[in-house]
Amino acid sequence: DVQLVKSGGNLVKPGGSFRLFCAASGFNSSHAWMSWVRQAPGKGLEWVGLIKSQTDGGTTEYAAPMKGRFTISRDDSKNMFYLQMDRLKIEDTAVYYCASGALWDKGTLVIVSS
Amino acid sequence: QSALTQPPSVSGSPGQSVTISCTGSSGDVGSFNRVSWYQQPPGTAPKLIIYEVTNRPSGVPHRFSGSKSGNTASLTISGLQTEDEADYYCSSYTTINTWVFGGGTKVTVL
């Protein structure tokens, strides 16, 4: 099956860090652009950022609220994608999705709370 | 980049057609044919139903169609069915190489 599977969520204190993993299976993810999208409880979707394929430069782009705090990376040898979140704020509490085109994972809840 | 503007809710009876608008600017919807639409039933992950303004991924019913005029994109559901009740989001690529979502529209089948 073609799918994206992500690591579990967590409860993190404000100012802390957390890393999400997204594993791709069933397709050659080295050519894929991977986006991260989040959804705060009861709210709409918010684009977090993306990483392009290495053939397209492997560069990253971020939404303004995440720039400088979040880092997206990839390891094509492992078909893995990562979202490193630093200096977390309470307002970063959300379900986080990794997504590539029509392929989305089921979402992971990250709670930032003291 | 400001969120795209969608109506909070639309409703219709089974069999009717409903249209959801998605208004952006020349910095996003108006500059690219890279508008997507997502369907999200309660408690589930979003599902891509339209990409590049008018294209449907495999398996998406033909009653879902997309269009664009100027800075506004639209999603039309023709022949509304009860299983279409969900939240719908548009998204667009932007001139600053980011993506932006709309605020979402709740579709209610009466």
Side-chain angles (χ1 to χ4, degrees):
Chain A
D1 274 359
V2 174
Q3 59 179 344
L4 297 174
V5 179
K6 207 152 74 262
S7 53
N10 209 344
L11 174 63
V12 188
K13 289 192 184 323
S17 296
F18 191 65
R19 193 181 200 192
L20 286 170
F21 305 77
C22 178
S25 64
F27 69 105
N28 184 356
S29 63
S30 65
H31 299 298
W33 291 28
M34 187 64 67
S35 288
W36 292 83
V37 176
R38 71 183 185 181
Q39 187 169 32
K43 302 296 185 182
L45 300 176
E46 182 180 23
W47 184 79
V48 171
L50 66 79
I51 186 164
K52 298 180 182 179
S53 63
Q54 291 296 352
T55 54
D56 288 322
T59 54
T60 53
E61 302 288 349
Y62 300 93
M66 295 77 173
K67 203 172 289 188
R69 297 191 302 123
F70 289 14
T71 304
I72 298 171
S73 58
R74 63 191 299 154
D75 184 341
D76 289 337
S77 69
K78 297 179 181 177
N79 286 341
M80 291 286 288
F81 300 84
Y82 308 94
L83 175 65
Q84 175 69 40
M85 301 183 289
D86 298 319
R87 302 198 305 277
L88 282 162
K89 305 174 182 180
I90 291 175
E91 52 264 39
D92 293 321
T93 294
V95 173
Y96 286 77
Y97 298 97
C98 59
S100 182
L103 199 57
W104 287 58
D105 79 298
K106 290 179 169 38
T108 300
L109 177 62
V110 175
I111 300 173
V112 183
S113 175
S114 54
Chain B
Q1 195 78 22
S2 300
L4 307 175
T5 301
Q6 297 181 232
S9 63
V10 298
S11 61
S13 300
Q16 287 187 329
S17 292
V18 295
T19 296
I20 302 169
S21 60
C22 170
T23 301
S25 69
S26 58
D28 37 64
V29 175
S31 288
F32 303 98
N33 285 328
R34 297 179 72 175
V35 175
S36 300
W37 289 90
Y38 298 86
Q39 176 193 60
Q40 187 180 33
T44 69
K47 173 188 174 184
L48 179 69
I49 57 173
I50 295 288
Y51 66 97
E52 291 174 358
V53 180
T54 61
N55 298 301
R56 277 185 308 276
S58 174
V60 174
H62 283 69
R63 64 179 182 275
F64 292 96
S65 63
S67 63
K68 193 187 86 165
S69 178
N71 296 336
T72 298
S74 298
L75 172 73
T76 297
I77 309 174
S78 305
L80 197 62
Q81 299 188 8
T82 54
E83 60 262 36
D84 298 334
E85 195 159 277
D87 292 328
Y88 290 79
Y89 296 90
C90 61
S91 72
S92 174
Y93 193 60
T94 77
T95 53
I96 56 171
N97 301 317
T98 62
W99 286 82
V100 62
F101 281 96
T105 298
K106 182 176 181 59
V107 171
T108 301
V109 182
L110 302 172

